[in-house]
Amino acid sequence: KQRGGNGYRLFEPEMEKAEAVIRRIELDLHDAVRNDELVLHYQPQVDLRSGQITGVEALLRWRRPDGSLMAPGHFLPVAEETGLIVPITEWVLHEACGQLVRWSKEGLTLRMAVNLSGVLFHRVDMQHMLTEAITTTGAQPAQLELELTESVLIHNADIVNRQFKALRELGTAIAVDDFGTGYASLGYLSRLVIDRIKFDKSFMDRLESSETDQTILRSMIMLCRNLGIRMTAEGIERPEQARWLAAHRCEEGQGFYFGRPQTPDRVEALVRASLPHWHQEMEGMISPI
Ligand code: C2E
Ligand code: MG
Ligand code: MG
Ligand code: MG
């Protein structure tokens, strides 16, 4: 009992410290958009048949006054709770669309994937927000793909599906992120209007050790193909994983193996490299260019 009491007293200041950190983030985050502290990095998505980069995913970072970059997992939950996610997403869409236009002026045509939080669909009209970003930048809506996680889709199916229709009318594609972590079945997802499924990184983590996971992944690839849904495997870190996926006809891959989230000029250099490093590593799997 005595120790339990002590434990409790030790626990409380820890909680207060954690809450203080969150309050600090909340305060600073209010100024982050205005002070131009948000940054997008872009991670390549690769066609596993040709080895070409077909698109990028925009991933948000926060450059703190001390120069460090904060990962989205640390501040997005606060942004969602406080509603700051709305101006942040406006900024993200505007920046990502602006980058598409800058690339296109340099002769680079890529698909741009942007992540959306589920809370947005309850707070704002996403078609309106997207239209705003498209018209002010001049980006092509058909080059955009919006990523929503599997759990967001399950828990907000009605409201999200209603807004999906409007978004797809603009020509924008919808992708299911982190597929395989929740409880959505492919049958359920086929009733929503979705264009792409992204297999969660956890499949890659278990690929070499679990035959069951290989079987599941193979079946998901087949099902996607039969349902006419595009597919991307996330979290590819090693050439063996990329080779396995290519051999089993997964269309696209994304992961540190192909490239980390990086600045636009680095992505551009990678796209323009005539033979990216993975061409040699995946020899026999992808056709030479
Ligand atoms: P996500 O959309 O599933 O993005 C993939 C995450 O996995 C990214 O983390 C990326 O850096 C990381 N990743 C990619 N390839 C590999 C790999 O091979 N190995 C490992 N270990 N990790 C890999 P990040 O950038 O920290 O983003 C985390 C999550 O934050 C994203 O998951 C997404 O859900 C969310 N997020 C990022 N940017 C935004 C945004 O602009 N808006 C919203 N609403 N959410 C965002
Ligand atoms: Mg994503
Ligand atoms: Mg993901
Ligand atoms: Mg994720």
Side-chain angles (χ1 to χ4, degrees), residues 19 90 115 141 169 220 279:
E19 263 171 38
E90 276 168 355
N115 294 281
E169 272 163 23
M220 292 200 310
H279 264 266

Side-chain angles (χ1 to χ4, degrees), residues 57 59 115 147 149 176-179 198-201 234-235 254:
E57 176 174 2
L59 292 159
N115 294 281
E147 295 191 3
T149 63
V176 182
D177 207 349
D178 302 347
F179 184 78
K198 298 186 77 179
F199 305 136
D200 190 65
K201 178 182 183 296
E234 294 188 89
Q254 181 181 345

Side-chain angles (χ1 to χ4, degrees), residues 100-263:
L100 269 184
V101 174
R102 286 191 287 279
W103 271 331
S104 132
K105 281 184 182 144
E106 289 166 39
L108 224 65
T109 309
L110 292 169
R111 190 180 62 230
M112 172 73 72
V114 175
N115 294 281
L116 294 182
S117 296
V119 295
L120 288 164
F121 290 84
H122 296 276
R123 285 177 176 269
V124 288
D125 177 352
M126 280 312 300
Q127 189 199 28
H128 182 257
M129 193 193 278
L130 191 65
T131 306
E132 193 77 18
I134 287 164
T135 47
T136 50
T137 57
Q140 297 294 325
Q143 271 174 268
L144 285 170
E145 191 165 273
L146 303 173
E147 295 191 3
L148 282 107
T149 63
E150 186 194 46
S151 60
V152 163
L153 287 175
I154 299 173
H155 296 119
N156 311 268
D158 284 351
I159 187 159
V160 167
N161 214 18
R162 239 178 294 137
Q163 292 212 24
F164 271 10
K165 272 181 77 186
L167 289 168
R168 286 177 95 250
E169 272 163 23
L170 297 171
T172 301
I174 308 282
V176 182
D177 207 349
D178 302 347
F179 184 78
T181 53
Y183 303 97
S185 69
L186 273 174
Y188 173 83
L189 286 179
S190 68
R191 269 177 269 138
L192 298 171
V193 274
I194 53 164
D195 303 279
R196 181 183 301 277
I197 285 179
K198 298 186 77 179
F199 305 136
D200 190 65
K201 178 182 183 296
S202 53
F203 286 105
M204 285 305 104
D205 296 340
R206 296 187 301 255
L207 188 64
E208 278 113 325
S209 61
S210 161
E211 262 181 53
T212 308
D213 278 273
Q214 290 184 18
T215 307
I216 292 171
L217 207 47
R218 266 204 311 269
S219 314
M220 292 200 310
I221 292 168
M222 289 298 293
L223 260 168
C224 281
R225 286 188 169 278
N226 292 338
L227 291 170
I229 299 172
R230 322 289 318 258
M231 71 211 83
T232 305
E234 294 188 89
I236 301 172
E237 293 180 343
R238 292 184 294 281
E240 307 83 64
Q241 296 168 328
R243 272 190 240 117
W244 188 95
L245 288 161
H248 291 90
R249 299 179 65 224
C250 179
E251 285 174 344
E252 297 206 0
Q254 181 181 345
F256 292 172
Y257 172 59
F258 295 114
R260 290 186 176 253
Q262 51 201 302
T263 57

